Amino acid sequence: MHAKPLLTALLLPALLLCACDRESRDAAPSTTASGITVAPDEARKIAREAYIYGVPMVDQYRAVHIYSLEPNNPQYRGPMNTLVSNDRLFTPDDTAVVTPNADTPYTLANLDLRAEPMVLGVPKVDSKRYYVFQLMDLYTFNFDYIGSRATGSDAGHYLIAGPEWEGPTPPNIDKVIRAETPLVTLVGRTQLFGPDDMENVRKIQAGYTLQPLSAFAGTAAPPAPPKVDWIAPLSPKDARTSPEFFNQLAFLLQFAPVHPSEQHVRDRFAQIGIVPGRRIDLSALSPELRQALVDGMVDGQKLIDTRRNALTNRTDTLFGTREELNNDYIARATATQVGLGGNSRVEAIYRTYQMDTNDELLDGSRRYVLRFAKDKLPPVNAFWSVTAYRMPEQLLVKNPIDRYLINSPMLSSLKTDPDGSLTLYIQKESPGKALESNWLPVPEGPFMLTARYYWPKRELLEYEWSSPAVERVR
């Protein structure tokens, strides 16, 4: 029997695992409502729909809260509208982030665009070095990109505006990017060529700037937006089991203007009391109605799990714009649970390996190879990599040569086979000095591999090229 696919955690999924169970300590919205206007059977159906719709928003909010609204949290990175970079290499000792990306150190900001737009400035980046800024709204749509593929390698300034902004565009703005929600997450990635390249990455990260439009244009700042009493996020467990989920969703909907294609969806949610900025008085519900809400969550999770189990190792169609996902709410929820913050397929495609060609779980007690045929390396415009993680922790593997991945920038130092193919040796012990350049160390026990393909070419996007399988050799 195949194990359920374990998809790549890119940046934010770690927060979903680290948040602890706790009572809400923030003040809830003052308006309460207990008005469910439908019978329990119908309430259960609507709750199922609302759960699937709301999973991405509730999980995204948890990440935003931990990173930018919760100063006492160990993972706090700074207040809203602040750009923070991870300017060092991940190591096996980093336990707060699962499946850490050792290719592209991150730059992160959570934006609150209610008062005015923010302007992201980027320096000129060598065209041989890949970089990208992913813009994700509260729905978790990847609504735009800035970087090597999307905007090129030249320096520029990009105005990121919320849905209500109508001001003039000042000079020296290269592009105006409009978000559907006033809350936006900005995730930057800058290619690292190797451990000795970190200082160069830091210099590039230092050139990334983020400032309010008024500061950029030298004009008076607008009035501050209304103060928000940010509620505490639900723990991962409660977000799947507690009807308080629907109050969290209602809180977030006040920051999510209704899209024309979803008015009927919002009207339906209102039938079980999910109204933007209001709370359902759960204590006032009959036991039958309260149970209907819980059962609806269970039903919704089953649909998400069914979609997830059908994915095998391809998740690239789960991430994208609203237009690309076409209101496929199950796809959006599934994407959140397998890798919140995943890139759109035009930017990066990921393949995760847990099984070998014998349909057995990967284990360091055995030896494996990953073989790319001659002229069949991953077709990418930027670069590719293969990283090993020990399981079940999903952390980097401590090893005697401090090598956590093999990637395309290392090709000049890798040895090819007599027939021109490239073989990577996936094993715990060295394959010998002659082959050590191609060795990717793994732990003694269970492990997984993640292949990352940045800026994929047409052959990858159209499924003309497929990732090779991991072959067991002993």
Side-chain angles (χ1 to χ4, degrees):
M1 179 179 293
H2 287 269
K4 292 182 180 179
L6 187 63
L7 283 301
T8 304
L10 301 170
L11 169 65
L12 306 177
L15 303 178
L16 311 185
L17 301 175
C18 295
C20 57
D21 293 339
R22 58 182 180 270
E23 295 295 325
S24 175
R25 62 181 179 278
D26 297 306
S30 57
T31 303
T32 61
S34 59
I36 295 182
T37 61
V38 294
D41 285 351
E42 185 66 10
R44 177 173 179 169
K45 294 176 184 177
I46 299 173
R48 178 192 65 201
E49 298 163 12
Y51 176 76
I52 293 169
Y53 182 95
V55 160
M57 302 178 74
V58 169
D59 282 4
Q60 169 72 347
Y61 176 66
R62 184 186 308 117
V64 170
H65 198 281
I66 290 172
Y67 266 135
S68 299
L69 298 171
E70 199 172 328
N72 294 328
N73 192 292
Q75 297 187 76
Y76 180 75
R77 294 295 181 267
M80 301 290 283
N81 298 332
T82 302
L83 206 59
V84 179
S85 291
N86 174 36
D87 61 354
R88 67 175 183 83
L89 289 170
F90 282 112
T91 72
D93 296 324
D94 291 306
T95 59
V97 179
V98 297
T99 50
N101 183 338
D103 295 311
T104 56
Y106 287 105
T107 300
L108 175 72
N110 286 308
L111 310 183
D112 180 350
L113 304 174
R114 290 176 301 142
E116 61 176 319
M118 299 295 293
V119 177
L120 176 71
V122 299
K124 181 177 177 60
V125 179
D126 190 314
S127 60
K128 296 179 181 179
R129 186 188 298 272
Y130 170 82
Y131 89 99
V132 63
F133 276 91
Q134 168 191 3
L135 287 84
M136 184 169 62
D137 63 23
L138 183 58
Y139 291 114
T140 68
F141 292 125
N142 293 330
F143 64 92
D144 216 329
Y145 277 89
I146 298 163
S148 302
R149 177 193 62 83
T151 56
S153 299
D154 288 337
H157 290 92
Y158 301 90
L159 187 153
I160 306 167
E164 297 183 358
W165 182 73
E166 297 179 348
T169 303
N172 302 319
I173 290 293
D174 293 270
K175 182 180 179 181
V176 173
I177 300 174
R178 292 190 174 273
E180 194 175 319
T181 65
L183 300 183
V184 167
T185 294
L186 192 64
V187 183
R189 300 168 173 91
T190 307
Q191 184 181 0
L192 178 73
F193 292 130
D196 58 353
D197 185 46
M198 194 66 227
E199 189 56 39
N200 295 322
V201 170
R202 291 191 186 104
K203 290 177 182 177
I204 295 169
Q205 290 175 327
Y208 298 141
T209 60
L210 183 68
Q211 55 186 322
L213 175 58
S214 57
F216 177 83
T219 58
K227 186 178 183 301
V228 177
D229 216 350
W230 300 106
I231 63 175
L234 293 175
S235 70
K237 177 183 176 182
D238 286 347
R240 294 199 185 193
T241 58
S242 170
E244 190 62 37
F245 173 94
F246 300 107
N247 280 328
Q248 192 116 115
L249 175 58
F251 172 80
L252 296 174
L253 289 178
Q254 65 186 311
F255 306 107
V258 182
H259 189 270
S261 69
E262 294 185 346
Q263 184 61 61
H264 69 290
V265 175
R266 297 289 192 93
D267 291 344
R268 190 158 164 80
F269 292 170
Q271 292 180 298
I272 59 170
I274 302 174
V275 178
R278 297 174 66 184
R279 285 184 57 83
I280 304 168
D281 184 358
L282 297 171
S283 65
L285 299 181
S286 68
E288 292 80 11
L289 279 174
R290 186 181 177 93
Q291 188 61 46
L293 297 184
V294 174
D295 290 342
M297 295 176 69
V298 172
D299 295 342
Q301 187 59 48
K302 286 179 179 177
L303 291 175
I304 296 169
D305 291 341
T306 298
R307 178 72 66 91
R308 179 172 183 166
N309 290 338
L311 289 173
T312 63
N313 290 309
R314 293 300 297 255
T315 63
D316 48 291
T317 58
L318 298 178
F319 303 93
T321 63
R322 174 182 287 278
E323 293 71 27
E324 288 165 341
L325 292 179
N326 194 28
N327 288 356
D328 184 344
Y329 304 125
I330 298 178
R332 195 173 75 195
T334 304
T336 297
Q337 292 189 356
V338 301
L340 175 63
N343 266 308
S344 300
R345 65 192 308 268
V346 293
E347 197 66 47
I349 289 177
Y350 308 89
R351 164 73 191 272
T352 296
Y353 296 93
Q354 290 188 100
M355 316 286 286
D356 62 21
T357 49
N358 296 328
D359 285 342
E360 294 183 359
L361 291 170
L362 301 178
D363 193 283
S365 63
R366 305 185 180 104
R367 296 177 183 174
Y368 307 89
V369 294
L370 186 64
R371 183 175 289 111
F372 297 96
K374 182 181 179 181
D375 301 324
K376 293 295 183 181
L377 290 174
V380 293
N381 291 294
F383 71 103
W384 57 266
S385 69
V386 180
T387 307
Y389 301 98
R390 73 175 189 262
M391 295 291 285
E393 300 90 350
Q394 296 176 242
L395 299 176
L396 295 173
V397 177
K398 188 171 292 188
N399 63 85
I401 60 173
D402 292 329
R403 181 182 295 162
Y404 313 123
L405 58 79
I406 290 179
N407 58 23
S408 53
M410 298 167 61
L411 281 173
S412 61
S413 65
L414 301 180
K415 294 183 178 180
T416 54
D417 301 327
D419 64 357
S421 61
L422 175 68
T423 300
L424 306 185
Y425 297 90
I426 317 295
Q427 55 191 66
K428 180 180 182 295
E429 304 294 341
S430 170
K433 280 293 182 182
L435 299 175
E436 201 164 89
S437 62
N438 295 35
W439 175 36
L440 181 57
V442 298
E444 291 185 3
F447 70 94
M448 62 177 279
L449 301 174
T450 295
R452 294 176 169 93
Y453 308 126
Y454 294 97
W455 192 355
K457 291 184 177 180
R458 181 191 60 81
E459 299 94 316
L460 236 175
L461 292 170
E462 297 183 7
Y463 306 102
E464 294 178 6
W465 182 93
S466 297
S467 301
V470 174
E471 302 174 42
R472 177 178 166 185
V473 295
R474 185 185 69 81

